[in-house]
Amino acid sequence: MKRSIICLLLVLCLCLSLAACAKTEVPTTETPAKSQNTETTAPTQEEQASTEETPAAEETPALSGKVTVYMPSPAGLADKLAEAFTAKTGVEVEQFQGTTGEILARLEAEQANPVADVVILASWSDGLSMKADGQLESYTPANADKVNEGWIDSDNTLFGYSASAVGVIYNTTVVPELNADWSELADAKYKDMIAIPDPEKSGACKDFLAGLVTGTADGEAIMQSWADNGLTVPGANKAALEAVTTGEKGILIAGVDYNAYSSMAKGEPLNIYYPASGTVVNPRPAMILKTAPNMDNAKAFIDFLFSDEAQQLVADAYLLPGRSDVQCENRTNLADIPQIPTDWDKMMEVASDTAAKLNSLCK
């Protein structure tokens, strides 16, 4: 009897011990499983995000080859932009540098066999004409939100990466001080002293004249009064400025400002001002051609033009930067230049005819 009781107790203890072991093992097995599910939820999302990003990075091919860019002066800026873009991307830049008129003539000659990828002009109205002809590719460049208001058109085809303004440039050895408004330059005391760049060769001068006749009440009368006062047309921007720098002429009407600032920095006896009634600030449009043989490189070049590096090169070249957050230390900034109200659509309609008329008046 006692043995039976003892055996029964031993069996009972053994059962209890096994039950206890079973209870302690279940949580041990389940806890890691629950912990693993909880801990892997967040990493799984991160891994998915990482997985999603990888193909996007792989879809953007490395740039190679070349991009062909047609650019106006200043030549030094064009070369520096090309060198910096190549250093950054490895893409070689083939350039054609010339006046707006020369660039447009070359584009027309190459219509059957397009060569250019990117075209930059010194005339916003000429850029609008190219747009109207359906020649331009639409694109949203990097840093578009920082570009000066109105310097990218509504269809994202013209990108004003820089700008010039025209002013009155005068030789201080001939005219020590000058602050005459546009109409006052017809005064007899300036007889045969005034010159103007050829507006059929200078896009900036052409756009100024178009702004003068569409944005003021007496623009055409002012042009006539200049002609009556002995206005001459020595040539495009460079030749016109040279005539004033040498003292052959005392005053340059509608001279491109960056040329004046550059010459003044070299010690030439020049000064410049913007007449109180206002002038035309002319964004210089960079554009991608629809026929661009190297489309990806063309878009990359436009992106580069609005980079910190390129915009600083623009400012160093005495041009107005295309970005509102980049200011100049070597010239008058955009906010300080009085402007004629400009309607570019109206200006585009009359620009070529007005330029031809000015030249006919001065013959």
Side-chain angles (χ1 to χ4, degrees), residues 108-189:
E108 185 174 357
E110 294 172 347
Q111 280 184 344
N113 185 27
V115 175
D117 298 302
V118 172
V119 172
I120 300 173
L121 300 177
S123 166
W124 190 259
S125 66
D126 282 326
L128 290 174
S129 294
M130 292 183 67
K131 173 185 172 180
D133 291 341
Q135 299 182 52
L136 306 181
E137 181 78 6
S138 181
Y139 179 62
T140 301
N143 291 316
D145 59 322
K146 299 178 181 178
V147 176
N148 291 313
E149 184 178 357
W151 288 25
I152 296 181
D153 71 307
S154 58
D155 297 312
N156 289 342
T157 57
L158 279 72
F159 318 108
Y161 90 102
S162 67
S164 63
V166 299
V168 176
I169 303 169
Y170 60 98
N171 187 313
T172 55
T173 64
V174 179
V175 184
E177 292 185 10
L178 186 63
N179 196 30
D181 211 334
W182 299 115
S183 61
E184 295 169 346
L185 292 168
D187 192 288
K189 63 185 175 183

Side-chain angles (χ1 to χ4, degrees), residues 6-267:
I6 291 171
C7 288
L8 183 59
L9 290 172
L10 289 173
V11 170
L12 184 59
C13 288
L14 181 60
C15 291
L16 291 172
S17 177
L18 289 172
C21 289
K23 287 180 180 179
T24 56
E25 286 174 0
V26 171
T28 304
T29 304
E30 291 178 353
T31 301
K34 290 180 180 178
S35 174
Q36 185 177 7
N37 290 340
T38 303
E39 293 173 1
T40 56
T41 300
T44 299
Q45 292 174 346
E46 291 173 2
E47 289 170 4
Q48 288 174 350
S50 177
T51 303
E52 290 171 0
E53 289 172 3
T54 302
E58 291 176 352
E59 286 171 5
T60 304
L63 297 174
S64 61
K66 69 176 183 178
V67 62
T68 302
V69 182
Y70 292 179
M71 297 183 70
S73 57
L77 173 61
D79 293 338
K80 289 176 182 178
L81 288 171
E83 291 170 7
F85 179 71
T86 298
K88 187 173 183 178
T89 64
V91 175
E92 293 297 323
V93 179
E94 294 187 357
Q95 295 185 66
F96 169 72
Q97 296 182 24
T99 65
T100 292
E102 290 169 342
I103 290 172
L104 292 174
R106 180 158 180 152
L107 289 172
E108 185 174 357
E110 294 172 347
Q111 280 184 344
N113 185 27
V115 175
D117 298 302
V118 172
V119 172
I120 300 173
L121 300 177
S123 166
W124 190 259
S125 66
D126 282 326
L128 290 174
S129 294
M130 292 183 67
K131 173 185 172 180
D133 291 341
Q135 299 182 52
L136 306 181
E137 181 78 6
S138 181
Y139 179 62
T140 301
N143 291 316
D145 59 322
K146 299 178 181 178
V147 176
N148 291 313
E149 184 178 357
W151 288 25
I152 296 181
D153 71 307
S154 58
D155 297 312
N156 289 342
T157 57
L158 279 72
F159 318 108
Y161 90 102
S162 67
S164 63
V166 299
V168 176
I169 303 169
Y170 60 98
N171 187 313
T172 55
T173 64
V174 179
V175 184
E177 292 185 10
L178 186 63
N179 196 30
D181 211 334
W182 299 115
S183 61
E184 295 169 346
L185 292 168
D187 192 288
K189 63 185 175 183
Y190 305 125
K191 179 73 174 177
D192 296 328
M193 295 175 61
I194 54 178
I196 193 169
D198 186 340
E200 292 184 289
K201 295 179 180 178
S202 165
C205 183
K206 178 175 71 173
D207 284 350
F208 164 71
L209 293 176
L212 185 69
V213 301
T214 60
T216 66
D218 54 355
E220 295 210 17
I222 291 174
M223 286 172 48
Q224 182 66 60
S225 69
W226 293 338
D228 295 341
N229 207 33
L231 181 69
T232 59
V233 184
N237 293 319
K238 184 177 180 180
L241 182 63
E242 184 69 15
V244 175
T245 303
T246 60
E248 177 186 345
K249 294 291 179 179
I251 303 167
L252 182 61
I253 296 172
V256 181
D257 59 1
Y258 68 85
N259 283 336
Y261 289 117
S262 177
S263 296
M264 289 160 60
K266 295 174 184 176

